[in-house]
């Protein structure tokens, strides 16, 4: 019951400071690339080059063929764009308390919004890439269908899961700085453990069921369903129930550790 009250208070505090949250997140995007000659162009160029390099390696190096009737390039970019958002948002949000340590030491500042500041700043760049992906899909003849509206659902699901993860990681990061290196390894494993560059159907059904336990599978496939007009999220009820169960546990665990460690942040950062 206490954990539930802490969760309600956390989201209430975030809602009350929603304007400050939006203001800080927009300034964070600008500050991230301040001092560089090309500015925010790097925020778009680096992920774009990552997409191009991975696609070229798998399309031409490993000679990956089309996935069903979907051209490999579309199948790949509609999956990796979700993963790039997850990895960037989680990585930056995990460092949010350390990066904004000067704000934590202010008595009246709402520390609860800091992980979400980083997630939203990554989300703005993510929206830009979504526009590019939609254009590429249209060039290949995959125009947006009514199913594109469920992209809002999958984006919300991604933000909530990453927020829960970052509450835990950012809290621990304050006391254990080596976690940053561990997160890099986790993200690397997550990249290759999620069907982004390879098709899940190459495995036997039993292996597929195990791989689907990865909650990121639900999000990546959901992005593909929305962008390519394949399925509704209601067509995957079992995966949906499993995903939200895992997300709820991750969120509650994150809130628990965050509220336990929060009183010690100002003395440690």
């Amino acid at each position: 019951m206490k954990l539930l009250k802490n969760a309600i208070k956390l989201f209430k505090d975030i809602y009350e400071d929603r304007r400050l949250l939006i203001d800080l997140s927009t300034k964070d995007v600008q500050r991230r690339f301040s001092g560089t000659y090309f500015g925010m162009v790097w925020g778009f160029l680096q992920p774009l080059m990552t997409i191009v390099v991975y696609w070229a390696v798998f399309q031409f190096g490993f000679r990956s063929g089309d996935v069903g009737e979907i051209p490999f390039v579309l199948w790949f970019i509609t999956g990796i764009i979700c993963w790039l958002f997850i990895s960037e948002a989680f990585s930056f949000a995990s460092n949010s308390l350390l990066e904004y340590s000067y704000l934590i030491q202010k008595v009246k500042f709402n520390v609860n919004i800091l992980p979400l500041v980083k997630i939203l700043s990554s989300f703005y760049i993510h929206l830009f890439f979504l526009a590019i992906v939609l254009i590429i899909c249209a060039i290949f003849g995959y125009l947006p269908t009514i199913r594109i509206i469920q992209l809002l659902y999958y984006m919300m699901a991604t933000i909530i899961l990453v927020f829960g993860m970052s509450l835990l990681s950012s809290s621990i990061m304050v006391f254990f700085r080596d976690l940053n290196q561990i997160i890099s390894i986790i993200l690397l494993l997550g990249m290759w453990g999620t069907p982004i560059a390879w098709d899940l159907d190459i495995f036997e059904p039993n292996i597929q069921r195990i791989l689907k336990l990865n909650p990121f599978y639900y999000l990546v496939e959901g992005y593909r369903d929305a962008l390519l007009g394949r399925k509704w999220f209601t067509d995957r009820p079992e995966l949906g129930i499993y995903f939200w169960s895992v997300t709820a546990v991750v969120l509650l665990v994150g809130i628990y550790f965050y509220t336990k460690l929060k009183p010690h942040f100002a003395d440690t950062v």
Side-chain angles (χ1 to χ4, degrees), residues 235-249:
D235 294 331
R236 305 175 186 269
E238 300 85 0
L239 281 177
I241 293 172
Y242 170 76
F243 170 81
W244 285 110
S245 298
V246 171
T247 299
V249 171

Side-chain angles (χ1 to χ4, degrees), residues 47-64:
L48 184 60
M49 290 305 300
T50 300
I51 293 175
V52 171
V53 169
Y54 273 119
W55 167 70
V57 168
F58 283 95
Q59 179 79 71
F60 303 107
F62 291 102
R63 299 185 181 278
S64 299

